[in-house]
mmCIF file of all heavy atoms in Angstrom:
data_model
loop_
_atom_site.group_PDB
_atom_site.id
_atom_site.type_symbol
_atom_site.label_atom_id
_atom_site.label_comp_id
_atom_site.label_asym_id
_atom_site.label_seq_id
_atom_site.Cartn_x
_atom_site.Cartn_y
_atom_site.Cartn_z
ATOM 1 N N LEU R 304 91.160 54.722 63.355
ATOM 2 C CA LEU R 304 91.470 56.103 63.677
ATOM 3 C C LEU R 304 92.736 56.080 64.609
ATOM 4 O O LEU R 304 93.674 56.977 64.393
ATOM 5 C CB LEU R 304 90.320 56.800 64.446
ATOM 6 C CG LEU R 304 89.088 57.121 63.519
ATOM 7 C CD1 LEU R 304 87.948 57.649 64.370
ATOM 8 C CD2 LEU R 304 89.484 58.160 62.443
ATOM 9 N N ALA R 305 92.830 55.180 65.516
ATOM 10 C CA ALA R 305 93.949 55.101 66.453
ATOM 11 C C ALA R 305 95.241 54.836 65.605
ATOM 12 O O ALA R 305 96.256 55.492 65.935
ATOM 13 C CB ALA R 305 93.776 54.017 67.463
ATOM 14 N N ARG R 306 95.219 53.988 64.654
ATOM 15 C CA ARG R 306 96.376 53.710 63.818
ATOM 16 C C ARG R 306 96.805 54.957 63.021
ATOM 17 O O ARG R 306 97.996 55.235 62.867
ATOM 18 C CB ARG R 306 96.125 52.500 62.874
ATOM 19 C CG ARG R 306 95.914 51.180 63.542
ATOM 20 C CD ARG R 306 97.143 50.820 64.414
ATOM 21 N NE ARG R 306 98.298 50.636 63.703
ATOM 22 C CZ ARG R 306 98.700 49.453 63.218
ATOM 23 N NH1 ARG R 306 97.973 48.346 63.375
ATOM 24 N NH2 ARG R 306 99.852 49.360 62.546
ATOM 25 N N GLN R 307 95.815 55.662 62.589
ATOM 26 C CA GLN R 307 96.101 56.953 61.848
ATOM 27 C C GLN R 307 96.788 57.906 62.745
ATOM 28 O O GLN R 307 97.708 58.683 62.351
ATOM 29 C CB GLN R 307 94.863 57.600 61.252
ATOM 30 C CG GLN R 307 94.248 56.724 60.078
ATOM 31 C CD GLN R 307 92.917 57.325 59.567
ATOM 32 O OE1 GLN R 307 92.883 58.550 59.269
ATOM 33 N NE2 GLN R 307 91.937 56.555 59.482
ATOM 34 N N LEU R 308 96.346 57.986 64.065
ATOM 35 C CA LEU R 308 96.980 58.865 65.017
ATOM 36 C C LEU R 308 98.457 58.503 65.166
ATOM 37 O O LEU R 308 99.363 59.357 65.182
ATOM 38 C CB LEU R 308 96.266 58.831 66.309
ATOM 39 C CG LEU R 308 94.817 59.390 66.363
ATOM 40 C CD1 LEU R 308 94.192 59.143 67.719
ATOM 41 C CD2 LEU R 308 94.843 60.860 66.089
ATOM 42 N N ILE R 309 98.735 57.209 65.421
ATOM 43 C CA ILE R 309 100.132 56.787 65.645
ATOM 44 C C ILE R 309 100.980 57.014 64.377
ATOM 45 O O ILE R 309 102.096 57.530 64.472
ATOM 46 C CB ILE R 309 100.142 55.265 66.005
ATOM 47 C CG1 ILE R 309 99.831 55.102 67.437
ATOM 48 C CG2 ILE R 309 101.467 54.611 65.657
ATOM 49 C CD1 ILE R 309 100.876 55.655 68.403
ATOM 50 N N THR R 310 100.436 56.784 63.241
ATOM 51 C CA THR R 310 101.245 56.927 62.005
ATOM 52 C C THR R 310 101.592 58.381 61.811
ATOM 53 O O THR R 310 102.644 58.680 61.250
ATOM 54 C CB THR R 310 100.414 56.432 60.778
ATOM 55 O OG1 THR R 310 100.084 55.045 60.986
ATOM 56 C CG2 THR R 310 101.143 56.593 59.521
ATOM 57 N N ASP R 311 100.732 59.315 62.294
ATOM 58 C CA ASP R 311 101.048 60.714 62.109
ATOM 59 C C ASP R 311 101.602 61.343 63.399
ATOM 60 O O ASP R 311 101.627 62.538 63.499
ATOM 61 C CB ASP R 311 99.747 61.402 61.710
ATOM 62 C CG ASP R 311 99.989 62.789 61.216
ATOM 63 O OD1 ASP R 311 101.034 63.076 60.576
ATOM 64 O OD2 ASP R 311 99.101 63.705 61.318
ATOM 65 N N ALA R 312 101.987 60.510 64.349
ATOM 66 C CA ALA R 312 102.555 61.058 65.611
ATOM 67 C C ALA R 312 103.784 61.879 65.288
ATOM 68 O O ALA R 312 104.538 61.643 64.344
ATOM 69 C CB ALA R 312 102.945 59.956 66.520
ATOM 70 N N GLU R 313 103.965 62.869 66.196
ATOM 71 C CA GLU R 313 105.011 63.895 65.939
ATOM 72 C C GLU R 313 106.363 63.301 65.665
ATOM 73 O O GLU R 313 106.955 62.697 66.505
ATOM 74 C CB GLU R 313 105.084 64.887 67.089
ATOM 75 C CG GLU R 313 103.923 65.859 67.094
ATOM 76 C CD GLU R 313 103.819 66.631 68.358
ATOM 77 O OE1 GLU R 313 104.543 66.344 69.295
ATOM 78 O OE2 GLU R 313 102.952 67.548 68.364
ATOM 79 N N GLY R 314 106.888 63.519 64.454
ATOM 80 C CA GLY R 314 108.251 63.176 64.166
ATOM 81 C C GLY R 314 108.558 61.673 64.012
ATOM 82 O O GLY R 314 109.656 61.273 63.889
ATOM 83 N N ALA R 315 107.521 60.793 64.042
ATOM 84 C CA ALA R 315 107.734 59.335 64.048
ATOM 85 C C ALA R 315 108.290 58.850 62.721
ATOM 86 O O ALA R 315 107.871 59.334 61.666
ATOM 87 C CB ALA R 315 106.469 58.615 64.410
ATOM 88 N N SER R 316 109.217 57.898 62.777
ATOM 89 C CA SER R 316 109.661 57.350 61.593
ATOM 90 C C SER R 316 109.388 55.787 61.521
ATOM 91 O O SER R 316 109.559 55.167 60.513
ATOM 92 C CB SER R 316 111.153 57.598 61.348
ATOM 93 O OG SER R 316 111.937 56.838 62.272
ATOM 94 N N HIS R 317 108.895 55.251 62.631
ATOM 95 C CA HIS R 317 108.542 53.873 62.666
ATOM 96 C C HIS R 317 107.164 53.770 63.467
ATOM 97 O O HIS R 317 107.053 54.372 64.520
ATOM 98 C CB HIS R 317 109.514 52.915 63.427
ATOM 99 C CG HIS R 317 110.794 52.731 62.655
ATOM 100 N ND1 HIS R 317 111.874 53.586 62.744
ATOM 101 C CD2 HIS R 317 111.148 51.732 61.766
ATOM 102 C CE1 HIS R 317 112.830 53.089 61.960
ATOM 103 N NE2 HIS R 317 112.430 51.993 61.356
ATOM 104 N N ASP R 318 106.289 52.895 62.968
ATOM 105 C CA ASP R 318 105.079 52.544 63.739
ATOM 106 C C ASP R 318 105.273 51.285 64.354
ATOM 107 O O ASP R 318 105.626 50.291 63.725
ATOM 108 C CB ASP R 318 103.816 52.472 62.817
ATOM 109 C CG ASP R 318 103.543 53.728 62.014
ATOM 110 O OD1 ASP R 318 104.054 54.786 62.482
ATOM 111 O OD2 ASP R 318 102.943 53.670 60.942
ATOM 112 N N ILE R 319 105.130 51.163 65.658
ATOM 113 C CA ILE R 319 105.583 50.015 66.453
ATOM 114 C C ILE R 319 104.353 49.391 67.179
ATOM 115 O O ILE R 319 103.686 50.098 67.849
ATOM 116 C CB ILE R 319 106.663 50.374 67.482
ATOM 117 C CG1 ILE R 319 107.789 51.182 66.855
ATOM 118 C CG2 ILE R 319 107.174 49.156 68.198
ATOM 119 C CD1 ILE R 319 108.751 51.845 67.826
ATOM 120 N N SER R 320 104.196 48.083 66.967
ATOM 121 C CA SER R 320 103.275 47.349 67.871
ATOM 122 C C SER R 320 104.027 46.553 68.860
ATOM 123 O O SER R 320 104.962 45.834 68.462
ATOM 124 C CB SER R 320 102.312 46.503 67.012
ATOM 125 O OG SER R 320 103.031 45.497 66.300
ATOM 126 N N VAL R 321 103.721 46.686 70.082
ATOM 127 C CA VAL R 321 104.392 45.929 71.145
ATOM 128 C C VAL R 321 103.288 44.955 71.724
ATOM 129 O O VAL R 321 102.342 45.393 72.368
ATOM 130 C CB VAL R 321 104.952 46.773 72.235
ATOM 131 C CG1 VAL R 321 105.671 45.913 73.303
ATOM 132 C CG2 VAL R 321 105.881 47.843 71.649
ATOM 133 N N THR R 322 103.437 43.663 71.414
ATOM 134 C CA THR R 322 102.436 42.702 71.782
ATOM 135 C C THR R 322 103.036 41.793 72.865
ATOM 136 O O THR R 322 104.138 41.231 72.718
ATOM 137 C CB THR R 322 102.043 41.829 70.562
ATOM 138 O OG1 THR R 322 101.484 42.730 69.589
ATOM 139 C CG2 THR R 322 100.918 40.880 70.962
ATOM 140 N N THR R 323 102.303 41.622 73.931
ATOM 141 C CA THR R 323 102.748 40.674 74.996
ATOM 142 C C THR R 323 101.819 39.456 74.917
ATOM 143 O O THR R 323 100.580 39.646 74.995
ATOM 144 C CB THR R 323 102.756 41.327 76.358
ATOM 145 O OG1 THR R 323 103.646 42.422 76.331
ATOM 146 C CG2 THR R 323 103.178 40.330 77.425
ATOM 147 N N ILE R 324 102.374 38.306 74.792
ATOM 148 C CA ILE R 324 101.558 37.086 74.688
ATOM 149 C C ILE R 324 101.815 36.154 75.882
ATOM 150 O O ILE R 324 102.795 36.292 76.610
ATOM 151 C CB ILE R 324 101.765 36.314 73.373
ATOM 152 C CG1 ILE R 324 103.218 35.838 73.264
ATOM 153 C CG2 ILE R 324 101.438 37.205 72.163
ATOM 154 C CD1 ILE R 324 103.421 34.925 72.107
ATOM 155 N N ASN R 325 100.850 35.194 76.047
ATOM 156 C CA ASN R 325 100.978 34.186 77.104
ATOM 157 C C ASN R 325 101.208 34.862 78.501
ATOM 158 O O ASN R 325 102.088 34.422 79.293
ATOM 159 C CB ASN R 325 102.077 33.206 76.773
ATOM 160 C CG ASN R 325 101.779 32.413 75.484
ATOM 161 O OD1 ASN R 325 100.643 32.086 75.296
ATOM 162 N ND2 ASN R 325 102.768 32.173 74.693
ATOM 163 N N ALA R 326 100.437 35.913 78.778
ATOM 164 C CA ALA R 326 100.473 36.552 80.044
ATOM 165 C C ALA R 326 99.462 35.956 80.961
ATOM 166 O O ALA R 326 98.474 35.338 80.521
ATOM 167 C CB ALA R 326 100.220 38.063 79.894
ATOM 168 N N ALA R 327 99.693 36.083 82.317
ATOM 169 C CA ALA R 327 98.770 35.504 83.268
ATOM 170 C C ALA R 327 97.429 36.219 83.241
ATOM 171 O O ALA R 327 96.427 35.684 83.600
ATOM 172 C CB ALA R 327 99.366 35.575 84.650
ATOM 173 N N SER R 328 97.448 37.508 82.855
ATOM 174 C CA SER R 328 96.192 38.314 82.756
ATOM 175 C C SER R 328 96.354 39.339 81.661
ATOM 176 O O SER R 328 97.467 39.669 81.285
ATOM 177 C CB SER R 328 95.985 39.033 84.102
ATOM 178 O OG SER R 328 96.978 39.997 84.347
ATOM 179 N N GLU R 329 95.204 39.902 81.239
ATOM 180 C CA GLU R 329 95.226 40.872 80.183
ATOM 181 C C GLU R 329 95.927 42.170 80.762
ATOM 182 O O GLU R 329 96.648 42.816 80.066
ATOM 183 C CB GLU R 329 93.790 41.289 79.796
ATOM 184 C CG GLU R 329 93.742 42.173 78.547
ATOM 185 C CD GLU R 329 92.278 42.525 78.124
ATOM 186 O OE1 GLU R 329 91.349 41.858 78.639
ATOM 187 O OE2 GLU R 329 92.187 43.437 77.238
ATOM 188 N N ARG R 330 95.766 42.434 82.070
ATOM 189 C CA ARG R 330 96.379 43.563 82.725
ATOM 190 C C ARG R 330 97.921 43.397 82.667
ATOM 191 O O ARG R 330 98.653 44.322 82.362
ATOM 192 C CB ARG R 330 95.918 43.662 84.167
ATOM 193 C CG ARG R 330 96.545 44.887 84.863
ATOM 194 C CD ARG R 330 96.415 44.810 86.351
ATOM 195 N NE ARG R 330 97.457 45.579 87.035
ATOM 196 C CZ ARG R 330 98.732 45.157 87.198
ATOM 197 N NH1 ARG R 330 99.088 43.936 86.821
ATOM 198 N NH2 ARG R 330 99.611 45.974 87.759
ATOM 199 N N ASP R 331 98.365 42.229 82.952
ATOM 200 C CA ASP R 331 99.856 41.970 82.884
ATOM 201 C C ASP R 331 100.321 42.210 81.500
ATOM 202 O O ASP R 331 101.348 42.834 81.248
ATOM 203 C CB ASP R 331 100.205 40.471 83.276
ATOM 204 C CG ASP R 331 100.378 40.303 84.720
ATOM 205 O OD1 ASP R 331 100.077 41.210 85.497
ATOM 206 O OD2 ASP R 331 100.812 39.189 85.138
ATOM 207 N N ALA R 332 99.584 41.691 80.532
ATOM 208 C CA ALA R 332 100.023 41.833 79.088
ATOM 209 C C ALA R 332 100.094 43.296 78.723
ATOM 210 O O ALA R 332 101.075 43.801 78.106
ATOM 211 C CB ALA R 332 99.080 41.108 78.136
ATOM 212 N N GLU R 333 99.072 44.066 79.120
ATOM 213 C CA GLU R 333 99.025 45.497 78.793
ATOM 214 C C GLU R 333 100.172 46.291 79.524
ATOM 215 O O GLU R 333 100.854 47.106 78.964
ATOM 216 C CB GLU R 333 97.670 46.080 79.218
ATOM 217 C CG GLU R 333 97.517 47.475 78.705
ATOM 218 C CD GLU R 333 96.199 48.091 79.129
ATOM 219 O OE1 GLU R 333 95.201 47.357 79.370
ATOM 220 O OE2 GLU R 333 96.089 49.370 79.236
ATOM 221 N N THR R 334 100.377 45.958 80.789
ATOM 222 C CA THR R 334 101.448 46.570 81.603
ATOM 223 C C THR R 334 102.835 46.307 80.974
ATOM 224 O O THR R 334 103.628 47.290 80.842
ATOM 225 C CB THR R 334 101.457 45.947 83.053
ATOM 226 O OG1 THR R 334 100.195 46.215 83.651
ATOM 227 C CG2 THR R 334 102.585 46.599 83.903
ATOM 228 N N VAL R 335 103.100 45.130 80.540
ATOM 229 C CA VAL R 335 104.410 44.857 79.953
ATOM 230 C C VAL R 335 104.555 45.597 78.663
ATOM 231 O O VAL R 335 105.582 46.155 78.367
ATOM 232 C CB VAL R 335 104.567 43.312 79.774
ATOM 233 C CG1 VAL R 335 105.751 43.011 78.894
ATOM 234 C CG2 VAL R 335 104.767 42.623 81.153
ATOM 235 N N SER R 336 103.537 45.471 77.791
ATOM 236 C CA SER R 336 103.589 46.178 76.460
ATOM 237 C C SER R 336 103.778 47.661 76.696
ATOM 238 O O SER R 336 104.546 48.297 75.940
ATOM 239 C CB SER R 336 102.385 45.867 75.677
ATOM 240 O OG SER R 336 102.318 44.556 75.205
ATOM 241 N N ARG R 337 103.151 48.221 77.650
ATOM 242 C CA ARG R 337 103.174 49.666 77.859
ATOM 243 C C ARG R 337 104.536 50.067 78.363
ATOM 244 O O ARG R 337 105.127 51.104 77.954
ATOM 245 C CB ARG R 337 102.082 50.152 78.770
ATOM 246 C CG ARG R 337 101.822 51.657 78.654
ATOM 247 C CD ARG R 337 100.682 52.150 79.569
ATOM 248 N NE ARG R 337 99.394 51.653 79.273
ATOM 249 C CZ ARG R 337 98.572 52.066 78.317
ATOM 250 N NH1 ARG R 337 99.010 52.983 77.490
ATOM 251 N NH2 ARG R 337 97.396 51.562 78.132
ATOM 252 N N ALA R 338 105.120 49.213 79.283
ATOM 253 C CA ALA R 338 106.411 49.583 79.828
ATOM 254 C C ALA R 338 107.480 49.637 78.683
ATOM 255 O O ALA R 338 108.358 50.535 78.638
ATOM 256 C CB ALA R 338 106.889 48.517 80.870
ATOM 257 N N VAL R 339 107.395 48.719 77.746
ATOM 258 C CA VAL R 339 108.298 48.689 76.600
ATOM 259 C C VAL R 339 108.083 49.927 75.745
ATOM 260 O O VAL R 339 108.924 50.669 75.265
ATOM 261 C CB VAL R 339 108.249 47.406 75.834
ATOM 262 C CG1 VAL R 339 109.116 47.475 74.529
ATOM 263 C CG2 VAL R 339 108.628 46.185 76.726
#
Side-chain angles (χ1 to χ4, degrees):
Chain R
L304 290 174
R306 294 303 295 271
Q307 291 177 52
L308 291 174
I309 278 292
T310 299
D311 194 29
E313 284 169 354
S316 70
H317 288 89
D318 302 339
I319 309 168
S320 64
V321 182
T322 303
T323 300
I324 61 172
N325 297 324
S328 66
E329 190 180 349
R330 182 198 155 277
D331 272 11
E333 188 181 336
T334 299
V335 167
S336 289
R337 199 180 295 282
V339 174

